[in-house]
Amino acid sequence: MAPQTGRESFGIVLLEAMACGAPVVAANLRAFLDVLTDDEGLVGHTFRVGNSASASRAMLRSLSEPRDLRLERGRALAANYDWSVIGPQVVAMYTVAGQNYATSRGIKNRELKGH
């Protein structure tokens, strides 16, 4: 359960739970909704931020469904954020940023690499 009430920029705790095959119940923060959504919709259950009755209903819904109903979708969704996927994207972004910096400063590629 992720009952946060705000200031979440990303739902890594949700991804970790899904990667482990755990069902997810989370506040309906934008960051959480983004992480919990695949092509078929929500992979977990959500509730209104700060509303304990809504949270209770979401937990009961999660507990009442078969455990494996969202398991594979959750694992597949979490796999999209594995470092083997994200790492090359991060490196590519830093490469572009370095090239843009060099271009804006008139630095040649050889100088940027420290040669």
PDB file of all heavy atoms in Angstrom, residues 17-24 43 45 61-75:
ATOM      1  N   ALA A  17       7.343  -3.250  -5.914  1.00  0.00           N
ATOM      2  CA  ALA A  17       6.305  -4.204  -5.512  1.00  0.00           C
ATOM      3  C   ALA A  17       5.845  -5.043  -6.702  1.00  0.00           C
ATOM      4  O   ALA A  17       5.742  -6.272  -6.608  1.00  0.00           O
ATOM      5  CB  ALA A  17       5.117  -3.461  -4.897  1.00  0.00           C
ATOM      6  N   MET A  18       5.594  -4.385  -7.839  1.00  0.00           N
ATOM      7  CA  MET A  18       5.140  -5.118  -9.025  1.00  0.00           C
ATOM      8  C   MET A  18       6.206  -6.093  -9.512  1.00  0.00           C
ATOM      9  O   MET A  18       5.893  -7.213  -9.932  1.00  0.00           O
ATOM     10  CB  MET A  18       4.749  -4.149 -10.138  1.00  0.00           C
ATOM     11  CG  MET A  18       3.466  -3.387  -9.834  1.00  0.00           C
ATOM     12  SD  MET A  18       2.872  -2.380 -11.218  1.00  0.00           S
ATOM     13  CE  MET A  18       4.162  -1.160 -11.386  1.00  0.00           C
ATOM     14  N   ALA A  19       7.469  -5.685  -9.468  1.00  0.00           N
ATOM     15  CA  ALA A  19       8.561  -6.560  -9.899  1.00  0.00           C
ATOM     16  C   ALA A  19       8.628  -7.819  -9.035  1.00  0.00           C
ATOM     17  O   ALA A  19       9.009  -8.887  -9.515  1.00  0.00           O
ATOM     18  CB  ALA A  19       9.892  -5.813  -9.853  1.00  0.00           C
ATOM     19  N   CYS A  20       8.218  -7.699  -7.776  1.00  0.00           N
ATOM     20  CA  CYS A  20       8.207  -8.839  -6.855  1.00  0.00           C
ATOM     21  C   CYS A  20       6.917  -9.649  -6.941  1.00  0.00           C
ATOM     22  O   CYS A  20       6.766 -10.655  -6.265  1.00  0.00           O
ATOM     23  CB  CYS A  20       8.392  -8.351  -5.419  1.00  0.00           C
ATOM     24  SG  CYS A  20      10.013  -7.662  -5.110  1.00  0.00           S
ATOM     25  N   GLY A  21       5.975  -9.191  -7.740  1.00  0.00           N
ATOM     26  CA  GLY A  21       4.720  -9.901  -7.878  1.00  0.00           C
ATOM     27  C   GLY A  21       3.697  -9.582  -6.812  1.00  0.00           C
ATOM     28  O   GLY A  21       2.743 -10.327  -6.623  1.00  0.00           O
ATOM     29  N   ALA A  22       3.887  -8.475  -6.119  1.00  0.00           N
ATOM     30  CA  ALA A  22       2.936  -8.083  -5.074  1.00  0.00           C
ATOM     31  C   ALA A  22       1.807  -7.244  -5.673  1.00  0.00           C
ATOM     32  O   ALA A  22       2.039  -6.451  -6.581  1.00  0.00           O
ATOM     33  CB  ALA A  22       3.654  -7.268  -3.998  1.00  0.00           C
ATOM     34  N   PRO A  23       0.599  -7.421  -5.163  1.00  0.00           N
ATOM     35  CA  PRO A  23      -0.492  -6.551  -5.606  1.00  0.00           C
ATOM     36  C   PRO A  23      -0.255  -5.137  -5.083  1.00  0.00           C
ATOM     37  O   PRO A  23       0.345  -4.956  -4.021  1.00  0.00           O
ATOM     38  CB  PRO A  23      -1.736  -7.172  -4.984  1.00  0.00           C
ATOM     39  CG  PRO A  23      -1.249  -8.054  -3.897  1.00  0.00           C
ATOM     40  CD  PRO A  23       0.166  -8.416  -4.203  1.00  0.00           C
ATOM     41  N   VAL A  24      -0.708  -4.150  -5.834  1.00  0.00           N
ATOM     42  CA  VAL A  24      -0.456  -2.756  -5.472  1.00  0.00           C
ATOM     43  C   VAL A  24      -1.764  -2.019  -5.207  1.00  0.00           C
ATOM     44  O   VAL A  24      -2.696  -2.100  -5.991  1.00  0.00           O
ATOM     45  CB  VAL A  24       0.329  -2.037  -6.595  1.00  0.00           C
ATOM     46  CG1 VAL A  24       0.466  -0.554  -6.309  1.00  0.00           C
ATOM     47  CG2 VAL A  24       1.693  -2.671  -6.769  1.00  0.00           C
ATOM     48  N   VAL A  43      -2.891  -1.458 -13.367  1.00  0.00           N
ATOM     49  CA  VAL A  43      -2.342  -2.743 -12.965  1.00  0.00           C
ATOM     50  C   VAL A  43      -2.578  -2.982 -11.475  1.00  0.00           C
ATOM     51  O   VAL A  43      -2.457  -4.100 -10.994  1.00  0.00           O
ATOM     52  CB  VAL A  43      -0.834  -2.811 -13.310  1.00  0.00           C
ATOM     53  CG1 VAL A  43      -0.202  -4.074 -12.810  1.00  0.00           C
ATOM     54  CG2 VAL A  43      -0.646  -2.693 -14.812  1.00  0.00           C
ATOM     55  N   HIS A  45      -4.773  -1.171  -7.735  1.00  0.00           N
ATOM     56  CA  HIS A  45      -5.977  -0.479  -7.279  1.00  0.00           C
ATOM     57  C   HIS A  45      -5.568   0.873  -6.705  1.00  0.00           C
ATOM     58  O   HIS A  45      -4.532   0.986  -6.049  1.00  0.00           O
ATOM     59  CB  HIS A  45      -6.692  -1.298  -6.207  1.00  0.00           C
ATOM     60  CG  HIS A  45      -7.278  -2.559  -6.746  1.00  0.00           C
ATOM     61  ND1 HIS A  45      -8.502  -2.587  -7.362  1.00  0.00           N
ATOM     62  CD2 HIS A  45      -6.800  -3.819  -6.788  1.00  0.00           C
ATOM     63  CE1 HIS A  45      -8.761  -3.821  -7.747  1.00  0.00           C
ATOM     64  NE2 HIS A  45      -7.738  -4.589  -7.412  1.00  0.00           N
ATOM     65  N   ARG A  61     -10.953  -4.600  -2.448  1.00  0.00           N
ATOM     66  CA  ARG A  61     -11.043  -5.033  -3.848  1.00  0.00           C
ATOM     67  C   ARG A  61      -9.800  -5.835  -4.235  1.00  0.00           C
ATOM     68  O   ARG A  61      -9.889  -6.879  -4.875  1.00  0.00           O
ATOM     69  CB  ARG A  61     -11.199  -3.836  -4.787  1.00  0.00           C
ATOM     70  CG  ARG A  61     -12.600  -3.264  -4.840  1.00  0.00           C
ATOM     71  CD  ARG A  61     -12.786  -2.277  -5.992  1.00  0.00           C
ATOM     72  NE  ARG A  61     -11.772  -1.241  -6.090  1.00  0.00           N
ATOM     73  CZ  ARG A  61     -11.799  -0.078  -5.416  1.00  0.00           C
ATOM     74  NH1 ARG A  61     -12.797   0.203  -4.603  1.00  0.00           N
ATOM     75  NH2 ARG A  61     -10.834   0.806  -5.578  1.00  0.00           N
ATOM     76  N   SER A  62      -8.649  -5.354  -3.824  1.00  0.00           N
ATOM     77  CA  SER A  62      -7.403  -6.045  -4.144  1.00  0.00           C
ATOM     78  C   SER A  62      -7.362  -7.428  -3.485  1.00  0.00           C
ATOM     79  O   SER A  62      -6.984  -8.412  -4.123  1.00  0.00           O
ATOM     80  CB  SER A  62      -6.207  -5.215  -3.676  1.00  0.00           C
ATOM     81  OG  SER A  62      -4.996  -5.879  -3.976  1.00  0.00           O
ATOM     82  N   LEU A  63      -7.778  -7.501  -2.236  1.00  0.00           N
ATOM     83  CA  LEU A  63      -7.755  -8.772  -1.516  1.00  0.00           C
ATOM     84  C   LEU A  63      -8.778  -9.772  -2.047  1.00  0.00           C
ATOM     85  O   LEU A  63      -8.584 -10.986  -1.926  1.00  0.00           O
ATOM     86  CB  LEU A  63      -7.999  -8.537  -0.018  1.00  0.00           C
ATOM     87  CG  LEU A  63      -6.864  -7.835   0.722  1.00  0.00           C
ATOM     88  CD1 LEU A  63      -7.318  -7.429   2.112  1.00  0.00           C
ATOM     89  CD2 LEU A  63      -5.628  -8.731   0.790  1.00  0.00           C
ATOM     90  N   SER A  64      -9.835  -9.276  -2.647  1.00  0.00           N
ATOM     91  CA  SER A  64     -10.893 -10.174  -3.114  1.00  0.00           C
ATOM     92  C   SER A  64     -10.651 -10.746  -4.514  1.00  0.00           C
ATOM     93  O   SER A  64     -11.315 -11.692  -4.909  1.00  0.00           O
ATOM     94  CB  SER A  64     -12.248  -9.459  -3.081  1.00  0.00           C
ATOM     95  OG  SER A  64     -12.295  -8.445  -4.076  1.00  0.00           O
ATOM     96  N   GLU A  65      -9.709 -10.208  -5.265  1.00  0.00           N
ATOM     97  CA  GLU A  65      -9.470 -10.739  -6.594  1.00  0.00           C
ATOM     98  C   GLU A  65      -8.382 -11.803  -6.550  1.00  0.00           C
ATOM     99  O   GLU A  65      -7.558 -11.811  -5.635  1.00  0.00           O
ATOM    100  CB  GLU A  65      -9.118  -9.627  -7.583  1.00  0.00           C
ATOM    101  CG  GLU A  65      -7.772  -8.993  -7.380  1.00  0.00           C
ATOM    102  CD  GLU A  65      -7.530  -7.826  -8.340  1.00  0.00           C
ATOM    103  OE1 GLU A  65      -8.488  -7.300  -8.933  1.00  0.00           O
ATOM    104  OE2 GLU A  65      -6.373  -7.444  -8.474  1.00  0.00           O
ATOM    105  N   PRO A  66      -8.362 -12.687  -7.542  1.00  0.00           N
ATOM    106  CA  PRO A  66      -7.296 -13.701  -7.590  1.00  0.00           C
ATOM    107  C   PRO A  66      -5.925 -13.034  -7.606  1.00  0.00           C
ATOM    108  O   PRO A  66      -5.720 -12.030  -8.286  1.00  0.00           O
ATOM    109  CB  PRO A  66      -7.556 -14.432  -8.911  1.00  0.00           C
ATOM    110  CG  PRO A  66      -8.980 -14.152  -9.237  1.00  0.00           C
ATOM    111  CD  PRO A  66      -9.283 -12.801  -8.654  1.00  0.00           C
ATOM    112  N   ARG A  67      -5.002 -13.582  -6.852  1.00  0.00           N
ATOM    113  CA  ARG A  67      -3.677 -12.982  -6.697  1.00  0.00           C
ATOM    114  C   ARG A  67      -2.967 -12.773  -8.031  1.00  0.00           C
ATOM    115  O   ARG A  67      -2.267 -11.795  -8.218  1.00  0.00           O
ATOM    116  CB  ARG A  67      -2.812 -13.852  -5.791  1.00  0.00           C
ATOM    117  CG  ARG A  67      -1.392 -13.344  -5.664  1.00  0.00           C
ATOM    118  CD  ARG A  67      -0.794 -13.708  -4.350  1.00  0.00           C
ATOM    119  NE  ARG A  67       0.623 -13.505  -4.302  1.00  0.00           N
ATOM    120  CZ  ARG A  67       1.221 -12.319  -4.258  1.00  0.00           C
ATOM    121  NH1 ARG A  67       0.502 -11.232  -4.270  1.00  0.00           N
ATOM    122  NH2 ARG A  67       2.529 -12.223  -4.200  1.00  0.00           N
ATOM    123  N   ASP A  68      -3.132 -13.685  -8.958  1.00  0.00           N
ATOM    124  CA  ASP A  68      -2.394 -13.588 -10.218  1.00  0.00           C
ATOM    125  C   ASP A  68      -3.093 -12.761 -11.290  1.00  0.00           C
ATOM    126  O   ASP A  68      -2.591 -12.632 -12.393  1.00  0.00           O
ATOM    127  CB  ASP A  68      -2.079 -14.980 -10.757  1.00  0.00           C
ATOM    128  CG  ASP A  68      -3.334 -15.778 -11.079  1.00  0.00           C
ATOM    129  OD1 ASP A  68      -4.436 -15.356 -10.691  1.00  0.00           O
ATOM    130  OD2 ASP A  68      -3.204 -16.834 -11.712  1.00  0.00           O
ATOM    131  N   LEU A  69      -4.228 -12.147 -10.964  1.00  0.00           N
ATOM    132  CA  LEU A  69      -4.976 -11.399 -11.962  1.00  0.00           C
ATOM    133  C   LEU A  69      -4.136 -10.305 -12.619  1.00  0.00           C
ATOM    134  O   LEU A  69      -4.158 -10.128 -13.818  1.00  0.00           O
ATOM    135  CB  LEU A  69      -6.240 -10.786 -11.342  1.00  0.00           C
ATOM    136  CG  LEU A  69      -7.142 -10.015 -12.298  1.00  0.00           C
ATOM    137  CD1 LEU A  69      -7.718 -10.960 -13.348  1.00  0.00           C
ATOM    138  CD2 LEU A  69      -8.283  -9.351 -11.539  1.00  0.00           C
ATOM    139  N   ARG A  70      -3.382  -9.558 -11.838  1.00  0.00           N
ATOM    140  CA  ARG A  70      -2.578  -8.462 -12.359  1.00  0.00           C
ATOM    141  C   ARG A  70      -1.079  -8.732 -12.258  1.00  0.00           C
ATOM    142  O   ARG A  70      -0.269  -7.894 -12.629  1.00  0.00           O
ATOM    143  CB  ARG A  70      -2.922  -7.171 -11.619  1.00  0.00           C
ATOM    144  CG  ARG A  70      -4.377  -6.772 -11.765  1.00  0.00           C
ATOM    145  CD  ARG A  70      -4.724  -5.663 -10.786  1.00  0.00           C
ATOM    146  NE  ARG A  70      -6.148  -5.519 -10.643  1.00  0.00           N
ATOM    147  CZ  ARG A  70      -6.863  -4.530 -11.144  1.00  0.00           C
ATOM    148  NH1 ARG A  70      -6.285  -3.572 -11.826  1.00  0.00           N
ATOM    149  NH2 ARG A  70      -8.154  -4.472 -10.951  1.00  0.00           N
ATOM    150  N   LEU A  71      -0.721  -9.908 -11.784  1.00  0.00           N
ATOM    151  CA  LEU A  71       0.673 -10.240 -11.513  1.00  0.00           C
ATOM    152  C   LEU A  71       1.567 -10.120 -12.743  1.00  0.00           C
ATOM    153  O   LEU A  71       2.569  -9.398 -12.717  1.00  0.00           O
ATOM    154  CB  LEU A  71       0.770 -11.657 -10.943  1.00  0.00           C
ATOM    155  CG  LEU A  71       2.162 -12.199 -10.702  1.00  0.00           C
ATOM    156  CD1 LEU A  71       2.814 -11.474  -9.540  1.00  0.00           C
ATOM    157  CD2 LEU A  71       2.092 -13.691 -10.404  1.00  0.00           C
ATOM    158  N   GLU A  72       1.236 -10.789 -13.827  1.00  0.00           N
ATOM    159  CA  GLU A  72       2.085 -10.760 -15.016  1.00  0.00           C
ATOM    160  C   GLU A  72       2.141  -9.370 -15.637  1.00  0.00           C
ATOM    161  O   GLU A  72       3.195  -8.939 -16.095  1.00  0.00           O
ATOM    162  CB  GLU A  72       1.621 -11.793 -16.036  1.00  0.00           C
ATOM    163  CG  GLU A  72       1.886 -13.221 -15.602  1.00  0.00           C
ATOM    164  CD  GLU A  72       3.341 -13.466 -15.217  1.00  0.00           C
ATOM    165  OE1 GLU A  72       4.256 -13.045 -15.968  1.00  0.00           O
ATOM    166  OE2 GLU A  72       3.573 -14.085 -14.162  1.00  0.00           O
ATOM    167  N   ARG A  73       1.014  -8.675 -15.664  1.00  0.00           N
ATOM    168  CA  ARG A  73       1.007  -7.311 -16.205  1.00  0.00           C
ATOM    169  C   ARG A  73       1.905  -6.409 -15.363  1.00  0.00           C
ATOM    170  O   ARG A  73       2.650  -5.581 -15.890  1.00  0.00           O
ATOM    171  CB  ARG A  73      -0.409  -6.758 -16.240  1.00  0.00           C
ATOM    172  CG  ARG A  73      -1.228  -7.323 -17.378  1.00  0.00           C
ATOM    173  CD  ARG A  73      -2.658  -6.838 -17.352  1.00  0.00           C
ATOM    174  NE  ARG A  73      -2.782  -5.399 -17.306  1.00  0.00           N
ATOM    175  CZ  ARG A  73      -3.789  -4.765 -16.694  1.00  0.00           C
ATOM    176  NH1 ARG A  73      -4.753  -5.421 -16.098  1.00  0.00           N
ATOM    177  NH2 ARG A  73      -3.832  -3.449 -16.709  1.00  0.00           N
ATOM    178  N   GLY A  74       1.842  -6.564 -14.049  1.00  0.00           N
ATOM    179  CA  GLY A  74       2.682  -5.758 -13.160  1.00  0.00           C
ATOM    180  C   GLY A  74       4.155  -6.022 -13.369  1.00  0.00           C
ATOM    181  O   GLY A  74       4.967  -5.099 -13.442  1.00  0.00           O
ATOM    182  N   ARG A  75       4.508  -7.286 -13.479  1.00  0.00           N
ATOM    183  CA  ARG A  75       5.919  -7.636 -13.711  1.00  0.00           C
ATOM    184  C   ARG A  75       6.400  -7.102 -15.055  1.00  0.00           C
ATOM    185  O   ARG A  75       7.504  -6.594 -15.176  1.00  0.00           O
ATOM    186  CB  ARG A  75       6.120  -9.141 -13.629  1.00  0.00           C
ATOM    187  CG  ARG A  75       6.130  -9.633 -12.203  1.00  0.00           C
ATOM    188  CD  ARG A  75       6.584 -11.058 -12.122  1.00  0.00           C
ATOM    189  NE  ARG A  75       6.768 -11.422 -10.722  1.00  0.00           N
ATOM    190  CZ  ARG A  75       6.654 -12.637 -10.262  1.00  0.00           C
ATOM    191  NH1 ARG A  75       6.382 -13.636 -11.087  1.00  0.00           N
ATOM    192  NH2 ARG A  75       6.834 -12.885  -8.987  1.00  0.00           N
TER     193      ARG A  75
END
